[in-house]
């Protein structure tokens, strides 16, 4: 870990770390974020590993320009355009339909992506020099308070981050406000740096959501992706019970009983949980669109990122019990 003052030279080093698939903690106007190249699924998987979350949670993509937004999301709605003009750069996160280029590990399998343009020079320079959006959650470890100084990041997550850019204190000090505008309603998913009333002045009344989250209690958001077709944990008895069905299977590191399946996917040939996490959601999406009757997925060891993988799979399997 290197704690570096956010000079141009050090920002350049941080850009190189991101290009090489590493993690950089950086200041925004709200709180410090722990960032990875948003287009690099394995680098994004590292974020979950380092935060030690027991579950996946979709991440915000941080952008530095509207051209970057065009690449990653749809935003034809006039109210969304109005909010962008009025509040960006700033502590407003918008939930938008994602484009294909956004890896599913960023959105935890959802078809929407959270996006914001931070109002912080260091963050904007880092993103624009990388030329790609930076995926970043707040740089606290699971269930601890959000970091508003570089030293908070050092204390909570220091040893696992390649570079921590010190850009001084965060001005806003609370996370961004999260808004989702749908055809029939406009939701505030998380209160934050821009007061609700200011947003309501701009676009009218907001409704709360059943998914409301408290910025200080992460992981409360109950939106989860599950595949459209039944999914079960792989076992030989399950295989026997579903003999005549069209089955797609996801194995952890090596395939078994190959002639029983229509499609076989392997999460990581080397048994690397980070690689497995980076592919999980993409595989589920691929399989759910193949006209199969059933997905069987092999359980992985419940350590490290395996805990989050098994959390996600168990929720999906439970849906079809
Ligand atoms: O101010 C902030 O927003 C900070 C700085 C670093 O930008 N970031 C931050 O990220 O607070 P994080 O990951 O701690 O919180 C993002 C929240 C999560 O609770 C997540 O569930 C929600 O945004 N979120 C992300 N993608 C979503 C989506 N597609 N639909 C609904 N909620 C989403
Ligand atoms: Mg957070």
């Amino acid at each position: 870990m290197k704690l570096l003052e956010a000079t141009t030279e050090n920002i350049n080093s941080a850009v190189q770390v991101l290009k090489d698939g590493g993690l950089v903690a950086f200041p925004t106007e709200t709180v410090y974020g722990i960032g990875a190249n948003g287009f690099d699924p394995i680098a994004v998987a590292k974020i979950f590993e380092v935060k030690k979350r027991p579950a996946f949670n979709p991440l915000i993509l941080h952008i530095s320009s509207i051209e970057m937004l065009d690449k990653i999301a749809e935003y034809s709605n006039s109210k969304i355009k109005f909010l962008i003009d009025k509040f960006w750069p700033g502590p407003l996160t918008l939930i938008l339909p994602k484009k294909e280029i956004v890896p599913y590990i960023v959105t935890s399998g959802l078809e929407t992506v959270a996006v914001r343009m931070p109002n912080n020079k260091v963050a904007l320079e880092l993103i624009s020099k990388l030329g790609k959006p930076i995926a970043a959650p707040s740089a606290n470890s699971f269930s601890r308070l959000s970091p508003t100084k570089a030293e908070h990041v050092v204390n909570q997550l220091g040893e696992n981050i390649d570079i921590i850019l010190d850009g001084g204190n965060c001005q806003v000090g609370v996370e961004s406000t999260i808004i989702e505008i749908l055809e029939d309603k406009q939701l505030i998913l998380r209160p934050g740096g821009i007061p609700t009333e200011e947003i309501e002045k701009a676009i009218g009344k907001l409704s709360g959501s059943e998914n409301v989250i408290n910025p200080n209690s992460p992981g409360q958001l109950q939106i989860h992706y599950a595949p459209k077709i039944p999914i079960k944990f792989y076992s030989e008895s399950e295989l026997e019970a579903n003999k005549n069905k069209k089955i797609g299977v996801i194995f952890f590191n090596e395939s078994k009983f190959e002639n029983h399946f229509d499609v076989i996917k392997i999460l990581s040939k080397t048994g690397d949980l980070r690689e497995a996490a980076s592919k999980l959601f993409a595989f589920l999406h691929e399989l759910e669109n193949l006209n199969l009757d059933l997905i069987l997925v092999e359980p992985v060891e419940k350590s490290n990122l395996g805990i989050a993988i098994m959390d996600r799979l168990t929720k999906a399997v439970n849906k079809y019990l």
Side-chain angles (χ1 to χ4, degrees):
M1 185 270 289
K2 284 191 203 152
L3 173 61
L4 302 174
E5 201 190 321
T7 59
T8 297
E9 198 188 341
N10 290 335
I11 291 174
N12 292 342
S13 310
V15 169
Q16 195 54 49
V17 164
L18 293 171
K19 286 186 177 160
D20 294 341
L23 300 182
V24 170
F26 62 99
T28 78
E29 79 281 36
T30 59
V31 299
Y32 276 75
I34 164 173
N37 173 354
F39 291 165
D40 178 344
I42 293 194
V44 174
K46 277 188 200 167
I47 294 176
F48 293 101
E49 194 178 314
V50 163
K51 279 203 56 152
K52 298 201 175 66
R53 292 187 60 98
F56 291 108
N57 202 15
L59 302 175
I60 298 172
L61 283 184
H62 297 73
I63 58 171
S64 57
S65 68
I66 294 298
E67 291 72 59
M68 219 178 254
L69 178 64
D70 291 334
K71 293 206 181 110
I72 60 177
E74 312 281 351
Y75 59 104
S76 53
N77 182 300
S78 60
K79 284 187 176 172
I80 291 174
K81 288 186 175 155
F82 190 76
L83 290 178
I84 288 174
D85 279 348
K86 192 165 167 67
F87 295 110
W88 278 5
L92 173 70
T93 294
L94 295 169
I95 307 297
L96 302 169
K98 87 186 233 341
K99 290 192 174 165
E100 204 179 326
I101 191 168
V102 177
Y104 277 119
I105 185 155
V106 170
T107 68
S108 294
L110 299 174
E111 293 300 339
T112 53
V113 61
V115 189
R116 84 179 190 97
M117 192 188 290
N119 187 15
N120 177 288
K121 270 193 184 159
V122 175
L124 291 171
E125 187 175 338
L126 188 68
I127 302 161
S128 70
K129 283 183 169 165
L130 178 65
K132 294 183 180 122
I134 295 182
S138 49
N140 53 317
S141 60
F142 178 60
S143 85
R144 291 185 58 188
L145 287 183
S146 295
T148 53
K149 292 174 192 286
E151 82 189 52
H152 297 161
V153 187
V154 175
N155 294 338
Q156 294 193 36
L157 299 168
E159 73 229 62
N160 298 311
I161 301 177
D162 299 295
I163 290 182
I164 298 173
L165 286 174
D166 186 349
N169 294 350
C170 298
Q171 299 305 310
V172 176
V174 296
E175 283 94 338
S176 59
T177 305
I178 305 182
I179 299 288
E180 180 167 23
I181 297 190
L182 300 166
E183 268 182 18
D184 53 339
K185 54 187 167 183
Q186 35 198 39
L187 304 173
I188 175 154
L189 300 185
R190 177 175 75 181
I194 295 182
T196 311
E197 306 83 69
E198 265 194 57
I199 296 171
E200 292 192 325
K201 249 188 251 163
I203 60 163
K205 201 85 191 132
L206 296 168
S207 350
S209 155
E210 290 138 38
N211 296 328
V212 167
I213 35 176
N214 173 337
N216 292 327
S217 350
Q220 286 194 306
L221 189 61
Q222 291 306 316
I223 38 140
H224 288 302
Y225 161 76
K228 289 180 289 196
I229 59 169
I231 175 166
K232 294 185 171 174
F233 283 117
Y234 170 91
S235 68
E236 283 174 41
S237 58
E238 208 56 81
L239 198 54
E240 188 58 34
N242 293 286
K243 248 196 223 145
N244 300 319
K245 294 199 173 145
K246 285 184 75 176
I247 299 177
V249 67
I250 302 176
F251 285 115
F252 177 44
N253 58 353
E254 59 179 354
S255 65
K256 307 167 187 122
F257 299 109
E258 304 193 352
N259 49 356
H260 289 71
F261 308 111
D262 289 76
V263 193
I264 296 173
K265 294 281 172 193
I266 296 179
L267 286 169
S268 169
K269 285 189 178 145
T270 59
D272 175 16
L273 286 166
R274 199 183 275 169
E275 185 185 11
S278 77
K279 292 188 171 157
L280 177 68
F281 293 105
F283 282 176
L284 291 173
H285 274 278
E286 210 179 312
L287 294 187
E288 76 176 355
N289 290 314
L290 291 180
N291 276 319
L292 299 163
D293 299 318
L294 178 66
I295 298 172
L296 289 180
V297 59
E298 184 176 41
V300 304
E301 58 181 286
K302 276 197 186 170
S303 65
N304 211 321
L305 272 176
I307 298 170
I309 292 174
M310 285 303 284
D311 168 79
R312 179 84 302 276
L313 289 175
T314 304
K315 283 176 182 148
V317 166
N318 285 344
K319 192 185 150 186
Y320 289 102
L321 278 184

